[in-house]
Amino acid sequence: SVVAMPTVSRVAVCGGTHGNELAGIYLVREMLKKRADGTEPVSVVTVMSNPRAAQLCVRYVETDLNRCFTRAALSAPVSETSPYEMIRSQELNALLGPKASAQAVDLLCDLHNTTANTGLCLITYSDRDWICLHICKHLEMASTPVRYVHFDIPLNEAYSLDSVGKHGFAMEIGPQPHGVVRSVIFSAMQEGVQLMMDWICQFNSGTLFEGGWVDVYTMVKNIDYPRDSETHVITAAVHPNLQDRDFCLLHPGDPMFLCFSGETLRYRGKEALYPFFINEGAYYEKGVALSLARKRRVQIPSVRSETLR
């Protein structure tokens, strides 16, 4: 059967949520140069999410903006003395939301880079969002491998900017060092955004998209670096056999860390899982060396715009 869904008429493309992830910043700047003439089938709002951090080329000024979009954070009172990113999150919620409301943009795509060797990922909070899953399926024609990553978190606890839209995801592409723009990564992001917009335009015009299957990677847990029990300083680095092997199955007993003393520490889990965000530079401060996910195939139905039922 065909699932009829509302048109995706209002789209937000955001960059610079982290001010040192430059591919999204430069892509948003390019998009802002092109003025809409009113004839586009989709209304696109292009936003520089954290302009102060982008100007300074730092991840954030006072606190991580991409952790400020929970219901609690968005409803908290703010003042002139509040952290800049707390104030900015509420400004963005007013512009693109409010979160979980009928007024929110139909789709929010937030552009990110990672130092990890992830390729192109769509990161979202739903494994049953047919719009996001069909966009991911459409992106399989991209020149960069695409994966759908699911964070199993309730909407009120969802902390990132993309959770403000009715549908939303972070488009994360790596590897790229922070504070650097690599042409191959910029081009992959540009291609991903263009394919996303192509799908939306076809969907809104009445194209029927056949169902199929999408591999979904649901995050299970984060793994911290080994640390000194007293100083909490890390005592090991990611093992060379694991480094850059994002989304390659990690089996129990496989090398995970190489201690600075020379000892190899192995994965002690009971099941094979898929590592990603391996040795992400921004996650040292968060106590995350890598994340582990469980993969399953999700069947998605055929969809079309409900205006043409």
Side-chain angles (χ1 to χ4, degrees):
S1 61
V2 178
V3 175
M5 303 187 70
T7 56
V8 181
S9 55
R10 296 175 60 232
V11 175
V13 178
C14 304
T17 301
H18 293 136
N20 58 359
E21 297 177 9
L22 298 191
I25 290 172
Y26 284 109
L27 182 54
V28 162
R29 286 174 176 165
E30 285 299 305
M31 295 176 70
L32 286 169
K33 292 177 184 178
K34 301 176 182 178
R35 298 292 182 181
D37 60 9
T39 63
E40 294 81 4
V42 181
S43 172
V44 180
V45 179
T46 310
V47 180
M48 188 67 70
S49 307
N50 195 336
R52 289 190 187 178
Q55 184 176 17
L56 296 170
C57 196
V58 294
R59 182 175 175 87
Y60 54 80
V61 178
E62 295 181 79
T63 192
D64 193 334
L65 177 60
N66 218 33
R67 301 297 183 271
C68 293
F69 292 93
T70 62
R71 291 276 184 84
L74 293 174
S75 60
V78 295
S79 67
E80 292 181 356
T81 60
S82 299
Y84 166 69
E85 280 84 2
M86 288 292 294
I87 298 171
R88 183 59 177 158
S89 70
Q90 296 193 10
E91 293 173 350
L92 291 167
N93 188 52
L95 174 66
L96 305 174
K99 181 173 178 173
S101 74
Q103 292 74 43
V105 294
D106 296 313
L107 177 69
L108 198 160
C109 172
D110 191 25
L111 304 174
H112 287 268
N113 292 125
T114 172
T115 63
N117 188 31
T118 58
L120 192 159
C121 297
L122 301 188
I123 304 175
T124 182
Y125 295 101
S126 174
D127 59 352
R128 288 293 184 271
D129 187 319
W130 307 139
I131 295 293
C132 294
L133 283 159
H134 266 280
I135 289 174
C136 184
K137 187 171 182 288
H138 188 69
L139 262 61
E140 289 175 356
M141 68 177 64
S143 55
T144 302
V146 60
R147 297 177 179 91
Y148 191 97
V149 178
H150 167 226
F151 285 4
D152 190 11
I153 299 175
L155 182 61
N156 65 328
E157 298 175 18
Y159 49 75
S160 54
L161 173 56
D162 53 277
S163 68
V164 170
K166 294 187 182 76
H167 308 276
F169 49 77
M171 183 179 290
E172 184 102 38
I173 306 182
Q176 177 172 280
H178 298 315
V180 170
V181 59
R182 296 179 59 194
S183 58
V184 66
I185 299 297
F186 177 87
S187 297
M189 180 175 283
Q190 189 174 46
E191 180 186 34
V193 171
Q194 186 58 59
L195 286 170
M196 175 191 75
M197 294 306 304
D198 291 345
W199 186 92
I200 292 169
C201 290
Q202 291 178 50
F203 174 76
N204 289 350
S205 67
T207 299
L208 172 66
F209 287 92
E210 298 289 345
W213 297 85
V214 174
D215 287 336
V216 173
Y217 295 82
T218 298
M219 201 271 279
V220 174
K221 60 182 176 180
N222 294 320
I223 303 291
D224 193 7
Y225 295 90
R227 294 180 182 272
D228 184 277
S229 59
E230 295 182 359
T231 66
H232 303 294
V233 173
I234 66 171
T235 58
V238 170
H239 196 279
N241 289 6
L242 177 60
Q243 181 65 52
D244 298 327
R245 290 181 57 81
D246 296 73
F247 298 106
C248 296
L249 200 58
L250 181 68
H251 295 89
D254 285 349
M256 179 175 278
F257 296 106
L258 182 61
C259 295
F260 301 139
S261 62
E263 179 187 2
T264 292
L265 302 181
R266 298 180 181 274
Y267 172 48
R268 299 173 64 182
K270 295 182 179 180
E271 65 174 312
L273 294 170
Y274 291 86
F276 66 103
F277 285 148
I278 298 172
N279 204 16
E280 159 58 46
Y283 288 176
Y284 278 73
E285 69 176 41
K286 300 182 187 301
V288 177
L290 64 146
S291 300
L292 293 174
R294 188 177 291 117
K295 183 175 79 168
R296 72 189 192 285
R297 288 180 68 74
V298 171
Q299 188 172 18
I300 61 176
S302 300
V303 298
R304 76 183 314 164
S305 169
E306 67 180 9
T307 60
L308 296 173
R309 278 186 293 181

